[in-house]
């Protein structure tokens, strides 16, 4: 409640504060006029000049985006009125700058200024009526720019002619005669000027909907102040009497109100001042229309127009929207380092390219627009097929967009990484342009990523190296302990030695994986076939086979597995091969151990399906460990056994979400179906 009260107080007291400030200034000026009336007149004249120039600067700088020709016209007129006012400040007889003209000169300049001002305020509302037609309401901003330049030229010619009439030819009527006072021409002119101001109020009232209410009221107040200033200055007989002072103050008030309406409001609420007409059109169109937009927020279709907007009008609106956005993008990319904005025609030839073209490619943008150099030619050969394929995808699918990172070769031979975002221009643009997008230089990012990747690779390699070393230490400790027990005759035939050896082999199987990862290029995946060759070879060497002739047959496809799959699967193979070496071949009898690994095809899944493996259809690979030895007894359930090795096999296969089955035909065959672990 307290906040609302403060806000209410601030809003309603701002005009009172400004009015009070002006009254204080008026009192100060009155005191100055009593002491030195010449100084008072110079101060008021320069005040008006400064205000007029500020209004002109704001209006002139905003002419490209402003659709309100009233403000453009008044602001341009004030520039020349200010110039005459500046000249008038030095035209007083007491200043001694123009001694031959006497008191008549400042009054003549005053009448010229007032004619220009009154005629400008009278004509300005008519310009609002002129642009209210259907065709000219959609005029481009560049049209208003040209309009401002034309107005400037016209006022320059008129001002020059009037100054020549006053200073060179002396044909301008006298307005003040020493010893007589104001001439009839001056008095009659003040009446005409007052009538013009009154008519301008009426015309402005009829066009008040083209202004913000606040701006409209202040403009009316400024014109009314000018009218009262004219009445005060009609019948004074001496330039230093009270009526002259009141007229000068009211004229200054008029300029001050124009300043508030245009300059102050233009800084604080520029959109409401210069885009009011555009806002009204947008609100009216939104009430009547449903807009369909693409994923970039651009309008490509309008539905439900109650009043039936003709198709040419829709196309014109879309074209203007695209052109406005193009200008916005162009100005936007100029200030961004390493960014190119482009538009291509249907043959993928650049229509426009803006931004850091030369910085990124070392070619001039004219080389691409003229067709002398094609963008695809600077794409490095290794990335070119991917780039061409992506372009074809965008062409064939209007709703798709190209987002691609690739390398280009600069003119000086340097290789740069870029990221391109491109899409079709939706709808009919009314031009030959079909594609648009951005190209961003990401070389620094790629270099940072590469540096980080190398650091991360070195870190992971170091981790694998240390784990491998630690596992080898454990393996060595187990080996030493086994040798120590082997020296004792009591333990030479004991199961303890076998347990030590099996544990040692399990540790070695894990150490080998970390060694392969450490030595390989890929830190995340392992070429499992190469690992199996080394693991099984070491296993055969670790067992004393005596006079057994056991051969090892490997049928392995290249398969890359992550550590989460490779470690459990490696220990599983270790257990199954170890069991075969220990139990499959009785003393003096040889045989063969066969290991195969390949990727499952759909036909293999159909032919090899069984009731044992429920998730076989989801499997990607099959690993087989078989031997032609004595085989496992029929009454032995390998899924429920006291053997530690087989218990580990079942646990580890379940851990990788695989399945295992046993065939007892002509020896022993374990088939393990599994898939890669999801990242």
């Amino acid at each position: 409640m307290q906040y609302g009260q403060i806000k209410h107080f601030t809003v309603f007291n701002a005009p009172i504060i400004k009015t009070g400030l002006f009254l204080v200034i008026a009192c100060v000026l009155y005191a100055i006029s009593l002491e030195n009336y010449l100084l008072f007149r110079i101060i008021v004249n320069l005040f008006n000049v400064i205000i007029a120039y500020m209004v002109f600067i704001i209006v002139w700088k905003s002419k490209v985006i402003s659709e309100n020709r009233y403000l453009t016209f008044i602001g341009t007129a004030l520039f020349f009125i200010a110039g005459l006012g500046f000249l008038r400040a030095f035209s007083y007889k007491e200043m001694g700058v123009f001694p031959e003209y006497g008191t008549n000169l400042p009054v003549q300049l005053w009448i010229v200024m007032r004619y220009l001002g009154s005629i400008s305020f009278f004509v300005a509302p008519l310009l609002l009526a002129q642009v209210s037609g259907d065709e000219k309401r959609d005029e481009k901003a560049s049209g208003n720019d040209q309009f401002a330049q034309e107005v400037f030229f016209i006022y320059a010619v008129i001002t020059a002619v009037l100054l020549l009439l006053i200073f060179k030819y002396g044909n301008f009527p006298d307005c003040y005669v020493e010893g007589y006072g104001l001439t009839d021409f001056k008095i009659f002119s003040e009446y005409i000027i007052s009538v013009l101001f009154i008519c301008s109020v009426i015309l402005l009232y009829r066009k008040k909907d083209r202004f913000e209410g606040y701006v409209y009221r202040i403009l009316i107040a400024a014109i009314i102040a000018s009218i009262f200033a004219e009445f005060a200055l009609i019948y004074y007989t001496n330039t230093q009497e009270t009526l002259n002072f009141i007229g000068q103050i009211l004229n200054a008030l008029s300029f001050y109100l124009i300043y508030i309406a245009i300059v102050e409001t233009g800084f604080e609420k520029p959109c409401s001042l210069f885009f009011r007409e555009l806002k009204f059109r947008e609100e009216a169109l939104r009430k009547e229309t449903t807009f369909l937009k693409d994923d970039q927020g651009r309008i490509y279709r309008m539905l439900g127009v109650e009043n039936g907007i003709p198709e040419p009008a829709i196309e014109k609106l879309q074209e203007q929207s695209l052109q406005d956005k193009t200008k916005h993008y162009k100005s936007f990319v100029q200030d961004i380092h390493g960014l190119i904005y482009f538009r291509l025609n249907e043959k993928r030839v650049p229509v426009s390219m803006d931004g850091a073209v030369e910085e990124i490619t070392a070619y001039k943008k004219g080389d691409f627009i003229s067709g002398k150099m094609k963008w695809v030619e600077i794409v490095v050969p290794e990335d070119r097929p991917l780039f061409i394929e992506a372009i074809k995808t965008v062409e064939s699918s209007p709703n798709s967009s190209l987002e691609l990172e690739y390398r280009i070769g600069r003119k000086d031979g340097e290789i740069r990484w870029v990221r391109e975002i491109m899409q079709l221009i939706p709808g009919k643009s009314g031009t030959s342009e079909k594609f648009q997008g951005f190209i961003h230089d990401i070389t620094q990012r790629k270099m940072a990523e590469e540096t980080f990747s190398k650091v991360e690779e070195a870190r992971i390699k170091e981790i694998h190296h240390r784990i491998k070393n630690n596992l080898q230490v454990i393996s060595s400790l187990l080996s030493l302990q086994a040798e120590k027990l082997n020296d004792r005759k009591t333990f030479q035939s004991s199961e303890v030695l076998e347990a030590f050896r099996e544990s040692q082999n399990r540790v070695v199987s894990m150490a080998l994986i970390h060694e392969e990862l450490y030595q390989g290029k890929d830190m995340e995946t392992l070429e499992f076939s190469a690992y199996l060759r080394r693991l099984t070879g070491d296993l055969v060497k670790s067992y004393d086979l005596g006079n057994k002739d056991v051969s090892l047959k490997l049928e392995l496809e290249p398969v890359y597995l992550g550590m989460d799959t490779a470690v459990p699967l490696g220990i599983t193979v270790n257990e199954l091969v170890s069991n075969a070496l220990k139990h499959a071949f009785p003393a003096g009898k040889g045989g063969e151990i066969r290991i195969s690994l390949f990727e499952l095809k759909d036909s293999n899944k159909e032919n090899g399906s069984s009731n044992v493996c429920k998730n076989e259809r989801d499997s990607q690979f099959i690993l087989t460990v078989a031997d032609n030895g004595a085989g496992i007894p029929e009454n032995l359930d390998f899924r429920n056994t006291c053997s530690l090795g087989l218990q580990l096999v079942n646990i580890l296969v379940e851990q990788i979400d695989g399945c295992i089955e046993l065939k007892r035909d002509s020896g022993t065959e374990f088939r393990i179906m599994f898939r890669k672990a999801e990242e």
Side-chain angles (χ1 to χ4, degrees), residues 647-667:
Q647 287 179 1
L648 277 174
V649 167
N650 284 287
I651 292 171
L652 294 172
V653 170
E654 183 179 355
Q655 180 178 325
I656 61 174
D657 292 329
C659 67
I660 184 171
E661 62 179 14
L662 170 63
K663 290 185 178 181
R664 293 181 170 91
D665 302 335
S666 301

Side-chain angles (χ1 to χ4, degrees), residues 382-529:
E382 294 84 357
D383 297 345
R384 198 171 295 163
L386 180 63
F387 175 79
I388 295 174
E389 184 64 28
I391 292 291
K392 291 180 179 178
T393 302
V394 175
E395 289 181 330
S396 60
S397 179
N399 295 325
S400 67
S401 61
L402 165 67
E403 294 190 22
L404 185 65
E405 294 182 359
Y406 56 90
R407 292 165 294 172
I408 62 171
R410 282 167 48 93
K411 189 175 183 179
D412 56 11
E414 181 186 351
I415 301 298
R416 292 269 184 109
W417 274 96
V418 296
R419 175 178 176 83
E420 180 174 346
I421 301 175
M422 185 182 75
Q423 71 169 21
L424 285 168
I425 298 176
K428 298 179 180 179
S429 65
T431 66
S432 61
E433 298 169 353
K434 188 176 180 181
F435 304 91
Q436 65 178 356
F438 291 96
I439 296 174
H440 185 209
D441 187 348
I442 58 171
T443 306
Q444 295 296 327
R445 193 196 82 190
K446 283 292 185 180
M447 292 174 61
E449 289 177 355
E450 184 179 353
T451 302
F452 176 78
S453 177
K454 289 180 179 179
V455 172
E456 185 70 7
E457 180 180 336
R459 186 182 68 84
I460 295 175
K461 278 194 171 188
E462 181 64 21
I463 291 173
H464 287 308
H465 183 59
R466 292 191 180 190
I467 292 175
K468 180 206 70 171
N469 289 343
N470 291 336
L471 291 174
Q472 285 180 341
V473 169
I474 296 173
S475 175
S476 300
L477 291 174
L478 291 172
S479 178
L480 290 172
Q481 190 64 43
E483 289 179 5
K484 184 176 181 181
L485 294 174
N486 192 36
D487 291 339
R488 301 181 184 180
K489 296 181 179 180
T490 309
F491 291 98
Q492 286 182 0
S493 301
S494 172
E495 293 181 357
V496 175
L497 290 176
E498 189 64 29
F500 270 98
R501 179 162 39 195
E502 290 176 354
S503 298
Q504 183 183 5
N505 288 337
R506 290 166 188 147
V507 172
V508 169
S509 70
M510 291 186 288
L512 282 176
I513 288 179
H514 289 284
E515 185 175 356
E516 291 286 335
L517 290 172
Y518 171 69
Q519 294 176 349
K521 294 182 179 180
D522 192 347
M523 296 292 98
E524 302 296 332
T525 59
L526 169 73
E527 210 285 84
F528 199 68
S529 299

Side-chain angles (χ1 to χ4, degrees), residues 508-674:
V508 169
S509 70
M510 291 186 288
L512 282 176
I513 288 179
H514 289 284
E515 185 175 356
E516 291 286 335
L517 290 172
Y518 171 69
Q519 294 176 349
K521 294 182 179 180
D522 192 347
M523 296 292 98
E524 302 296 332
T525 59
L526 169 73
E527 210 285 84
F528 199 68
S529 299
Y531 163 75
L532 284 181
R533 290 188 179 92
R534 185 173 177 184
L535 173 65
T536 53
D538 291 346
L539 279 174
V540 172
K541 292 178 183 178
S542 69
Y543 281 88
D544 183 11
L545 300 178
N547 59 352
K548 298 178 185 179
D549 184 15
V550 179
S551 62
L552 190 63
K553 183 179 180 180
L554 303 177
E555 299 175 356
L556 307 173
E557 291 183 358
V559 173
Y560 290 86
L561 301 176
M563 281 191 61
D564 292 342
T565 304
V567 171
L569 206 57
I571 298 176
T572 300
V573 173
N574 175 81
E575 297 301 323
L576 295 177
V577 173
S578 296
N579 281 345
L581 291 172
K582 289 189 297 181
H583 306 297
F585 309 105
K589 184 178 179 181
E592 181 183 79
I593 298 176
R594 178 172 54 85
I595 302 175
S596 64
L597 173 64
F598 58 86
E599 185 176 357
L600 276 172
K601 310 296 182 184
D602 292 337
S603 58
N604 299 124
K605 293 181 182 180
E606 293 292 335
N607 297 332
S609 60
S610 64
N611 295 327
V612 178
C613 292
K614 302 298 182 182
N615 58 344
E616 181 177 349
R617 290 183 179 273
D618 298 329
S619 301
Q620 292 178 292
F621 306 97
I622 181 169
L623 172 66
T624 303
V625 179
D627 64 75
N628 58 358
I632 295 179
E634 292 290 341
N635 60 351
L636 178 63
D637 183 5
F638 80 97
R639 298 181 188 278
N640 188 15
T641 178
C642 296
S643 170
L644 177 60
L646 291 177
Q647 287 179 1
L648 277 174
V649 167
N650 284 287
I651 292 171
L652 294 172
V653 170
E654 183 179 355
Q655 180 178 325
I656 61 174
D657 292 329
C659 67
I660 184 171
E661 62 179 14
L662 170 63
K663 290 185 178 181
R664 293 181 170 91
D665 302 335
S666 301
T668 303
E669 179 180 326
F670 285 96
R671 298 173 70 241
I672 301 171
M673 277 72 72
F674 65 96

